[in-house]
Amino acid sequence: MSDVQQFKCPSCGGIVEFDSKSQKMKCPYCDTEFEIEQFSGSADQDDQKKQGWKKEETAGMNVYVCESCGGEIIADEKLGASDCPFCGNKIVFKENFQGDLRPEFVIPFQLDKKDAKQAYLSHLKGKAFLPKVFREENHIDEIKGIYVPFWLYDVDVNAEASYSGQKTRSWIAGDTQYVEQSHYKVTRRGNMSFTHIPADGSKNMADELMESIEPYDFKQAVPFETAYLAGYLADRYDVGPQECEERIKERASRCTQENLRNTVKGYDSVSAMNHFCNFRKFEHHYALYPVWILNTTWKNKNYIFAMNGQTGKLVGDLPADFSAFWKFVGVGSVLSGIVIYALLWLFTLI
């Protein structure tokens, strides 16, 4: 079938996967490595940008849906039973892959599952009140590599801001101290350009979580090829580019405010009066970025940890073992009481 011929090992016939270390396609059975180009489609990249998937690319790719959270992922049709990377529940086959907008770019995984495990273990170090179950090895096996959909925006901004600046001078003449305060209105304006501001296009991925594992280095992005998905999951976008525009405008506006404010120097105090942004250019691109996801549950609460599959930056909230906390507080209180009692006793002897 056409879905197999793109990802079969020419040497032994095994299923080939993308290897993050070598940045090549690798057969896990005979360890033979191949260049990505050997599994790439022949269609011109410019013709594929912002167009639908071609039939030969989507053959053998299915969409799987989680009946609990509704998350959808894209994977090879040979994917067996698996867990949802978003909530941990079982995912089931939904339907054949349909013609979603084809990504223009992809940043391939640079780090493998072993790197993700190590980052997770490092994240746990020094957490005194972490429940014991989170330190056990079996939980980190739930890590999954997933390509997350991102909209990338190229934005040109014409910005203007005004500030109130104050200078204070004091001196003493005779027995009198004088204070002179001078107030200034400061205006700044300028043009700024931003490229590839990311916004994740998945409702299942918390925006704060995805922003926390930034930045990605777009210099390592390559034109999208389906071969990069081999061995990984891919989240199907369910947030359109128009829905992300306000988030991007807020990020660009905040950055311009910071840049303009940093040019106001030489004053003892500065307060912002107003800020205005005019967006002269607002274009978007579609890309897949690599993320390692760990999903686990503690006392009926779901915890998600995310690691940047390019840089290794890992973030995620950790639960607290309150019994260990209160034991610590109790012991600390007893020790504090002993110290206070001892000090009072010493004072009575003086």
Side-chain angles (χ1 to χ4, degrees):
M1 295 177 62
S2 61
D3 63 302
V4 181
Q5 65 182 9
Q6 287 188 329
F7 303 103
K8 260 194 174 181
C9 175
S11 299
C12 70
I15 301 300
V16 180
E17 298 180 350
F18 177 73
D19 180 60
S20 61
K21 295 299 183 184
S22 64
Q23 293 293 292
K24 297 180 180 179
M25 302 296 288
K26 185 176 182 178
C27 177
Y29 303 100
C30 66
D31 290 330
T32 306
E33 295 182 347
F34 307 92
E35 297 294 336
I36 290 291
E37 289 73 15
Q38 292 182 240
F39 297 89
S40 301
S42 59
D44 185 83
Q45 288 291 339
D46 292 335
D47 293 337
Q48 293 177 353
K49 288 184 178 181
K50 296 189 178 181
Q51 295 182 8
W53 296 74
K54 295 187 179 297
K55 184 177 180 180
E56 61 271 17
E57 290 182 306
T58 61
M61 298 174 69
N62 285 333
V63 174
Y64 296 81
V65 62
C66 175
E67 294 183 331
S68 176
C69 70
E72 294 184 346
I73 63 172
I74 301 167
D76 188 273
E77 66 178 6
K78 293 179 176 56
L79 176 70
S82 184
D83 298 328
C84 175
F86 308 115
C87 70
N89 289 312
K90 296 299 180 183
I91 56 175
V92 297
F93 169 75
K94 180 184 179 184
E95 58 187 14
N96 288 328
F97 190 88
Q98 294 181 343
D100 282 308
L101 190 66
R102 186 183 190 277
E104 296 177 57
F105 306 102
V106 59
I107 293 182
F109 275 88
Q110 305 290 320
L111 302 170
D112 59 18
K113 190 173 184 178
K114 185 183 296 185
D115 297 316
K117 287 182 179 181
Q118 186 57 50
Y120 173 73
L121 292 175
S122 298
H123 188 65
L124 302 184
K125 290 181 179 179
K127 308 299 191 299
F129 306 118
L130 185 69
K132 182 179 177 181
V133 68
F134 267 77
R135 303 183 188 276
E136 297 178 355
E137 183 75 14
N138 62 309
H139 276 265
I140 62 176
D141 286 334
E142 298 175 0
I143 291 179
K144 298 180 185 296
I146 181 169
Y147 281 104
V148 176
F150 274 84
W151 299 106
L152 311 178
Y153 295 81
D154 296 336
V155 180
D156 287 346
V157 183
N158 187 350
E160 183 174 335
S162 61
Y163 308 87
S164 174
Q166 179 178 302
K167 291 182 179 181
T168 302
R169 185 171 69 95
S170 63
W171 67 94
I172 297 176
D175 295 331
T176 305
Q177 180 177 5
Y178 297 89
V179 177
E180 177 187 79
Q181 290 187 333
S182 301
H183 298 270
Y184 304 84
K185 180 179 179 181
V186 185
T187 302
R188 292 290 186 269
R189 61 175 60 91
N191 299 321
M192 301 182 194
S193 296
F194 302 88
T195 58
H196 306 128
I197 305 177
D200 71 278
S202 172
K203 293 179 181 178
N204 294 290
M205 292 293 187
D207 297 338
E208 297 80 7
L209 189 65
M210 291 297 99
E211 290 183 10
S212 296
I213 62 175
E214 293 179 18
Y216 284 90
D217 183 3
F218 189 78
K219 293 180 181 178
Q220 294 182 326
V222 296
F224 176 78
E225 292 289 351
T226 53
Y228 288 108
L229 302 185
Y232 298 94
L233 303 175
D235 189 12
R236 195 163 74 159
Y237 81 87
D238 52 10
V239 178
Q242 290 75 25
E243 297 176 75
C244 298
E245 287 187 359
E246 287 305 314
R247 286 165 52 194
I248 296 300
K249 288 181 178 179
E250 193 278 330
R251 292 187 68 175
S253 177
R254 185 171 64 246
C255 187
T256 58
Q257 290 183 52
E258 293 175 356
N259 288 336
L260 291 179
R261 171 62 182 84
N262 290 337
T263 67
V264 182
K265 300 177 181 180
Y267 299 93
D268 297 321
S269 65
V270 177
S271 58
M273 297 174 62
N274 57 64
H275 180 267
F276 172 77
C277 282
N278 177 35
F279 294 90
R280 297 182 291 108
K281 173 185 175 183
F282 209 88
E283 300 176 353
H284 68 268
H285 307 275
Y286 182 36
L288 296 181
Y289 279 4
V291 179
W292 285 101
I293 294 291
L294 166 64
N295 184 295
T296 190
T297 302
W298 171 254
K299 293 186 176 180
N300 297 320
K301 183 178 179 180
N302 188 39
Y303 291 88
I304 294 181
F305 301 87
M307 189 188 89
N308 186 314
Q310 181 189 41
T311 67
K313 183 179 180 180
L314 185 142
V315 297
D317 293 330
L318 292 169
D321 187 342
F322 288 104
S323 61
F325 172 76
W326 287 116
K327 286 180 182 178
F328 175 81
V329 172
V331 172
S333 299
V334 171
L335 293 176
S336 298
I338 293 174
V339 172
I340 294 173
Y341 178 80
L343 291 174
L344 291 174
W345 182 75
L346 289 173
F347 281 125
T348 61
L349 298 178
I350 298 176

